[in-house]
Amino acid sequence: MKHTRIRSIIAGVVAGLVAATTLAFAGAAPAAAIGQETFGCRIAPGVVLTWNTYCTNSAPASTYNAGFAVLNTSGSYTFSWSVSGPYQSINTGCTATSSSCSVWVANSDAMIVATVTYTQNGQSRTQTAYATINRYCGSHLC
């Protein structure tokens, strides 16, 4: 009888451990995996609303907003931005916690290059996008 009681206690403990482990894993969020992200740019004002590795202005303006963004993110990331070219100032983002970065660019012939390194769970990926601003004279390209 003593052995039956010990077996019953051990079986109960094992069943409890299995149930607790199953509940812990069932409630856990899926692990985020780096690699499905995309990176691109687009320029406002303009008619091209998609994010591409290479983007160009498509409408006349005195100042353009060249936007760059990491898309299709899942989970937590840190970002490191590098923007080069003759931009006037940062509009928004471009920080370690921002998945996007936009800069103001004058109506001029300019190339703005943005490189971002994003890190998640110790894994990093670096991508680059290129925004070309073509100078407008009135409503036509110069």
Side-chain angles (χ1 to χ4, degrees), residues 15-97:
L17 288 173
V18 169
T21 303
T22 302
L23 286 174
F25 285 120
I34 200 163
Q36 77 277 2
E37 305 84 0
T38 59
F39 180 60
C41 63
R42 65 183 185 185
I43 298 171
V47 296
V48 180
L49 302 178
T50 57
W51 297 90
N52 299 294
T53 302
Y54 298 91
C55 59
T56 304
N57 58 324
S58 58
S62 60
T63 305
Y64 293 93
N65 179 347
F68 303 88
V70 179
L71 306 168
N72 301 321
T73 58
S74 174
S76 298
Y77 296 78
T78 57
F79 302 89
S80 176
W81 292 94
S82 171
V83 182
S84 62
Y87 66 91
Q88 296 173 324
S89 62
I90 293 173
N91 177 32
T92 62
C94 311
T95 68
T97 58

Side-chain angles (χ1 to χ4, degrees), residues 105-116:
V105 184
N107 179 23
S108 61
D109 291 320
M111 169 75 77
I112 308 300
V113 179
T115 300
V116 63

